[in-house]
Amino acid sequence: MFLYTLISMINYLVNIIVIVVIVQFVLGLLIAFNVVNMHNNAVAAIWKALNAILEPLLRPIRRIMPDTGQIDFSPMVLIVGLNLLMILLSGIAASSAGA
């Protein structure tokens, strides 16, 4: 029962991280297409906060991945990796519940 609760909490945190990655991606597109301006203090503050949250997670992925030019695939790799982690943890919880 404790393992299931722990995995549920980890799943909740993973979902929050995925949402933050998506928000950063959308905000990055809005900035790139000049829909919102980085000279706006609110936009700049949100962008800096999102980068401060995600950079420790994305930096190791960027070091491992080959350079792809202008396209950064590290957020996608992070989301896939977190989902694989949740699949693995769910399998562990299911196998321990059956034992």
Side-chain angles (χ1 to χ4, degrees):
M1 188 67 176
F2 176 73
L3 183 62
Y4 180 75
T5 304
L6 182 64
I7 291 175
S8 294
M9 291 175 12
I10 293 171
N11 187 30
Y12 186 71
L13 291 173
V14 165
N15 289 334
I16 291 172
I17 292 170
V18 169
I19 290 170
V20 171
V21 168
I22 292 169
V23 168
Q24 183 194 37
F25 173 75
V26 170
L27 185 59
L29 285 177
L30 293 175
I31 291 169
F33 288 111
N34 212 14
V35 175
V36 295
N37 196 337
M38 283 294 287
H39 296 294
N40 183 335
N41 289 336
V43 173
I46 292 170
W47 182 251
K48 287 178 186 176
L50 291 173
N51 284 329
I53 292 168
L54 292 176
E55 190 58 31
L57 299 171
L58 295 173
R59 187 180 311 119
I61 297 170
R62 288 181 180 138
R63 275 194 301 235
I64 295 170
M65 289 184 59
D67 186 25
T68 56
Q70 294 292 328
I71 302 172
D72 184 15
F73 288 110
S74 60
M76 184 177 67
V77 171
L78 177 64
I79 290 173
V80 169
L82 289 173
N83 283 320
L84 290 174
L85 174 69
M86 289 314 306
I87 291 169
L88 178 69
L89 290 176
S90 297
I92 293 171
S95 67
S96 70

